[in-house]
Amino acid sequence: MELLHSGKVRDVYADGDDLILVASDRISIYDVALPTPIPDKGRLLTALSLWWFEQLADLVPNHVISATDVPAEFAGRAIRCRRLDMVPVECVARGYLTGGGFAEYRRTGAVSGVELPRGLVEASILPQPIFTPSTKAPKGEHDEPITYAQVVDKVGAEVAERLRQITIDVYRRGAEIAADRGILVADTKIELGWAPDGTLVLADEVLTSDSSRFWPAESYQPGRAQFSYDKQYVRDWATGSGWDKQPPAPEVPAEVVEATRARYVEVYEKLTGTTWE
């Protein structure tokens, strides 16, 4: 195998015509990889992505070839995948107003160029899910929100509409399934790429605690920050630490690592109905 790319949290190897996507235990916030790993994170995200790929298979094809035909040292945290020509856009869908979207709304009344009603508050549910794409920044740089018109400029009107529709469809399906299990999906980011036959294919990870915001439905209350089953807990710790969001990042305290792992495990178990071993 040949190492093609070592990202913030994933490593990509070439194995003949296939790719081996390996999820590490590294965690990234504000587009910076932290020096402290979260134990089992890579295995948890891989298992959850594989579960979601099955739930979404009738909506959009995915890049998975095998989760077992991988090198033994990567077992449980790697997927054998098809090679794709990746779309140069981060595809994001939001069903609730939070995070950077809420900050932008407070400044402009819109998110990524999508005008929203007045008077919305932190964690407000949106009238309908919206497509809020961003750039795909190189390692060490930050993704930046872009408008739908900018996506059209990048990929053309027909492809832009397909990206938007697939992203919203994935979000709606994910939110519906999660709601049945007591979880609200506030937003999610997906990656899409072109297969050699011209098919748009879902890649990377999907509806995980690294690519989505998950909230417990039972405690949801708009107007405040929500308890989060994802890496928002680490973001909040980092913000409170005074870190300037530029590398190098500080070490993460043991109690924050333990609490973060517990949240990843809990949402995996709630969504899949499977006990994490």
Side-chain angles (χ1 to χ4, degrees):
M1 293 197 311
E2 175 191 359
L3 177 64
L4 297 180
H5 175 69
S6 184
K8 293 186 289 288
V9 298
R10 281 177 177 74
D11 299 321
V12 182
Y13 294 85
D15 186 18
D17 292 334
D18 304 336
L19 296 179
I20 305 294
L21 187 66
V22 182
S24 74
D25 289 341
R26 300 188 297 271
I27 188 166
S28 167
I29 58 172
Y30 306 118
D31 295 306
V32 179
L34 302 183
T36 315
I38 307 297
D40 284 338
K41 175 176 171 284
R43 294 173 59 236
L44 281 157
L45 296 193
T46 299
L48 187 55
S49 285
L50 288 166
W51 185 83
W52 277 116
F53 282 132
E54 292 184 3
Q55 314 306 310
L56 301 165
D58 62 315
L59 283 182
V60 56
N62 60 68
H63 68 163
V64 177
I65 295 173
S66 174
T68 55
D69 182 15
V70 296
E73 65 266 33
F74 299 143
R77 64 175 63 247
I79 302 173
R80 181 176 293 274
C81 309
R82 292 189 275 169
R83 289 178 182 257
L84 304 173
D85 181 14
M86 298 306 293
V87 172
V89 175
E90 299 277 10
C91 296
V92 180
R94 299 177 186 270
Y96 295 78
L97 191 59
T98 191
F102 180 53
E104 184 180 352
Y105 169 78
R106 293 178 70 181
R107 292 193 308 270
T108 68
V111 181
S112 295
V114 180
E115 295 288 335
L116 295 174
R118 289 186 172 187
L120 299 181
V121 297
E122 166 77 15
S124 285
I125 188 170
L126 299 177
Q128 60 186 14
I130 59 174
F131 180 58
T132 60
S134 67
T135 60
K136 231 180 220 186
K139 185 176 180 181
E141 299 182 23
H142 297 289
D143 296 340
E144 297 292 342
I146 55 176
T147 65
Y148 183 72
Q150 288 174 294
V151 178
V152 172
D153 288 343
K154 280 179 175 286
V155 300
E158 181 180 349
V159 173
E161 179 53 34
R162 291 177 67 187
L163 296 178
R164 176 164 61 181
Q165 192 59 57
I166 291 171
T167 305
I168 296 297
D169 286 347
V170 167
Y171 173 82
R172 288 186 187 277
R173 173 69 63 82
E176 179 182 358
I177 291 172
D180 288 341
R181 292 153 171 80
I183 302 294
L184 302 179
V185 182
D187 51 40
T188 197
K189 178 188 76 174
I190 65 172
E191 302 255 9
L192 294 161
W194 295 103
D197 65 0
T199 304
L200 264 176
V201 175
L202 189 59
D204 197 40
E205 63 181 317
V206 60
L207 287 159
T208 70
S209 302
D210 268 19
S211 64
S212 315
R213 286 185 174 90
F214 295 129
W215 300 335
E218 62 184 7
S219 63
Y220 168 68
Q221 183 180 353
R224 61 170 176 79
Q226 310 298 306
F227 179 94
S228 193
Y229 286 120
D230 48 71
K231 63 182 181 181
Q232 187 60 43
Y233 184 72
V234 183
R235 291 191 193 99
D236 292 342
W237 163 79
T239 300
S241 75
W243 175 49
D244 64 2
K245 303 179 184 178
Q246 299 298 318
E251 293 283 348
V252 183
E255 62 271 18
V256 176
V257 170
E258 183 178 349
T260 301
R261 181 188 180 279
R263 293 179 188 218
Y264 277 58
V265 169
E266 185 174 355
V267 78
Y268 169 84
E269 292 182 339
K270 284 180 177 291
L271 287 171
T272 68
T274 304
T275 300
W276 180 254
E277 297 295 338

